[in-house]
Amino acid sequence: MSASDQTSSAASPGGWLANQPYLLLCITALCWAGNAIVGRLAAGHIPPVTLSFLRWSFAFLIILPFAWKHLMRDWGAIRARLGTMIVLSVTGIGAFNTLQYWALEHTQALNTLLLQSAGPLFVAVWSLILLGVRLTLAQAGGIALSLTGVLVILLHGDLTALADIEFNKGDIIFTVALAIFGLYSVLSLKRPDINGLSFVGFTFGCGAACLIPLLIWELFSRPVMQLDTKNLLTLFYVAVFPSTLAYLCFNRGVQLIGANRAAPFFHVVPVFGSAMAMVFLGERPQLFHIIGFALVLTGVFVASRKPRMQAGSRAAR
């Protein structure tokens, strides 16, 4: 039995929702779509390290009252795998989000949405390196199909427009961020067998703490964030939704179905981003939206299904 199998077989105390991986991953994608929009709006107003540090510090304070008793109970297991837990905190919490906000200062939203669609490929590479898990044919086909759907939406149905996109410094930074988050996604399957609140409580706090040296440097090298209503609302949003809520849902989703089957939900993020543009910016849905949504949802469904051979081999055991 693989690490993902062992983890997903563990009992979960969270009730019905905690055992619905596809719903959990859709909630994650919705929250992260909003984070991309808010992060772009914050560019130029809140420096990237400051935004990331305050985001995770506030998220840590939000989750700590709920996680404290679990942290105390699970501390022995955390200490036994402290190296893994620190790497997870640095990659998935500190590094990824800081690089994401830094990238949004140098690139357009369209570029980051396109690049985010490469997330499942990084997950597949890290899964092969760390776990020896290869993509199935269905997973590879589903990823390709959903990526096509994302391109149809982002390029308004004109795939030839892809040749006109210019990539820059921000795109390189965001690509590095995606590679780092792919590592976090796969490495999270090697976390100790602890409560989900213990996991996010430790990684949120440790991830924020690892940013302190960079925060000190930024405070001396860039203008300090202004404490106005817009910036405070931004901090509230990023601390509650793409941090606390999304990471609880994402970690549990990966725990239930594994990193490779969860990765195609990266493609749902730009789909939700487009839907938000329709709702909040008054954009009207067009034919390419419908075609793109259908391709993405079909691809995610195909790629995230449990392989038949794997299910059969478990039954045999």
Side-chain angles (χ1 to χ4, degrees), residues 151-174:
L151 292 176
V152 168
I153 295 169
L154 296 179
L155 301 177
H156 293 192
D158 182 12
L159 296 182
T160 61
L162 188 63
D164 297 327
I165 295 177
E166 297 180 359
F167 294 96
N168 53 38
K169 174 183 176 181
D171 304 320
I172 297 174
I173 295 171
F174 193 70

Side-chain angles (χ1 to χ4, degrees), residues 293-304:
F293 289 166
L295 288 171
V296 169
L297 294 178
T298 303
V300 169
F301 172 76
V302 171
S304 60

Side-chain angles (χ1 to χ4, degrees), residues 6-122:
Q6 293 171 352
T7 309
S8 63
S9 64
S12 171
W16 177 82
L17 180 60
N19 292 290
Q20 306 301 316
Y22 307 117
L23 179 57
L24 291 170
L25 292 168
C26 284
I27 293 172
T28 301
L30 179 62
C31 292
W32 283 349
N35 182 53
I37 294 173
V38 171
R40 180 59 181 164
L41 292 174
H45 301 281
I46 309 178
V49 181
T50 300
L51 180 55
S52 187
F53 174 78
L54 292 177
R55 167 185 176 174
W56 293 114
S57 296
F58 290 154
F60 174 69
L61 294 176
I62 291 170
I63 206 71
L64 186 58
F66 307 98
W68 180 255
K69 65 177 181 180
H70 301 291
L71 278 168
M72 294 299 98
R73 185 188 63 195
D74 293 333
W75 183 247
I78 293 173
R79 187 171 56 184
R81 304 287 298 276
L82 189 60
T84 299
M85 291 293 287
I86 291 175
V87 172
L88 286 167
S89 303
V90 172
T91 55
I93 306 302
F96 169 69
N97 292 279
T98 302
L99 290 172
Q100 180 184 26
Y101 293 138
W102 185 24
L104 286 169
E105 291 188 327
H106 299 282
T107 191
Q108 301 177 31
L110 175 59
N111 293 47
T112 59
L113 288 171
L114 283 172
L115 290 170
Q116 189 155 344
S117 300
L121 302 180
F122 287 110

Side-chain angles (χ1 to χ4, degrees), residues 2 15 28 46 79 105 133 150 199 249 260 282 286 294 298 305:
S2 68
T28 301
I46 309 178
R79 187 171 56 184
E105 291 188 327
V133 176
V150 170
F199 180 73
C249 293
N260 275 346
Q286 300 183 43
T298 303
R305 287 191 308 168

